Amino acid sequence: MLPQDIFPGVTWHHGVSLATILGAAASSAAVIWAVLSTLHERRERKAAQDALQTERREAREAATRVQADRVVAWYESVADDRVKEYDGGAINPRVGRRQTLFVQNHSDAPVFDVNVVMVDDEHRRNEIYRAKVLPPGNIKHDLGIRSDIPDLMIVMYFNDLAGLRWERCDIGHAEIADASLAEADPAV
């Protein structure tokens, strides 16, 4: 059977057979399949590379955070009746609150340029502790006795061994510090 018998009205060149047409179609299908297969393989390879890069980045970030996550500061306020008040020439004791700052470095290495500030509910900052080096271990720092205790938050800034500046408040995780706050005048 000749192609002109299958497709009447189409002009055919002599020597073109149905086998030639089918071979060309099969070759075209094979080329299309190869291109689609290659594109699919590239997408899968790219997805695998992206997943590997994400995994490596997360591992680097976790390794970077190891020391920072082990350094904390907080304060405690305990009732203390040693506050004295003058009332008409007599001394009347009243209950005040003894404030104590706790700073702990649970890592295996020191941290540097430690600055701990108290931030009140009006966002005023008051430096309460500073150290050039904080070795591994615990520090207890007496802040004194006060009768007026505003709502305070402790914020600690420090540099880790890698030289990264960290910020950690007493209710959150360590984060890379905003340089403008970490170096700001504590009286601001």
Side-chain angles (χ1 to χ4, degrees):
M1 180 177 262
L2 295 173
Q4 57 266 26
D5 295 334
I6 298 172
F7 302 104
V10 176
T11 306
W12 295 92
H13 298 286
H14 296 293
V16 176
S17 68
L18 184 59
T20 304
I21 293 171
L22 292 176
S27 294
S28 296
V31 168
I32 291 171
W33 180 81
V35 168
L36 292 176
S37 195
T38 301
L39 290 174
H40 178 71
E41 184 180 311
R42 283 184 183 171
R43 278 192 299 267
E44 285 184 347
R45 192 174 334 125
K46 174 78 169 118
Q49 287 173 343
D50 290 347
L52 181 60
Q53 286 177 347
T54 299
E55 184 179 316
R56 286 179 178 165
R57 186 186 74 247
E58 289 172 353
R60 277 193 311 270
E61 289 173 359
T64 300
R65 298 187 65 82
V66 167
Q67 186 177 24
D69 284 341
R70 294 180 177 172
V71 179
V72 296
W74 76 94
Y75 83 102
E76 291 181 5
S77 184
V78 179
D80 191 316
D81 65 355
R82 289 181 282 180
V83 175
K84 305 295 182 198
E85 183 177 82
Y86 289 98
D87 182 19
I91 298 175
N92 296 324
R94 66 183 170 98
V95 176
R97 311 246 350 135
R98 175 165 296 281
Q99 294 179 317
T100 305
L101 173 69
F102 296 90
V103 182
Q104 295 182 342
N105 178 359
H106 293 288
S107 74
D108 296 332
V111 294
F112 306 94
D113 298 321
V114 177
N115 184 14
V116 181
V117 296
M118 280 187 153
V119 182
D120 66 16
D121 52 357
E122 295 178 9
H123 303 287
R124 291 183 300 228
R125 300 161 54 87
N126 182 26
E127 182 178 272
I128 57 174
Y129 181 79
R130 182 178 287 271
K132 284 306 241 178
V133 177
L134 177 64
N138 303 321
I139 292 178
K140 183 177 173 183
H141 182 68
D142 185 18
L143 299 174
I145 301 173
R146 294 182 56 167
S147 57
D148 59 330
I149 307 297
D151 189 19
L152 300 172
M153 178 177 64
I154 298 291
V155 181
M156 178 182 193
Y157 301 97
F158 60 93
N159 293 346
D160 65 8
L161 274 178
L164 294 173
R165 186 76 173 158
W166 294 90
E167 172 183 351
R168 182 182 199 130
C169 69
D170 56 357
I171 57 171
H173 298 287
E175 300 293 336
I176 298 292
D178 177 351
S180 65
L181 290 176
E183 301 302 327
D185 180 5
V188 173

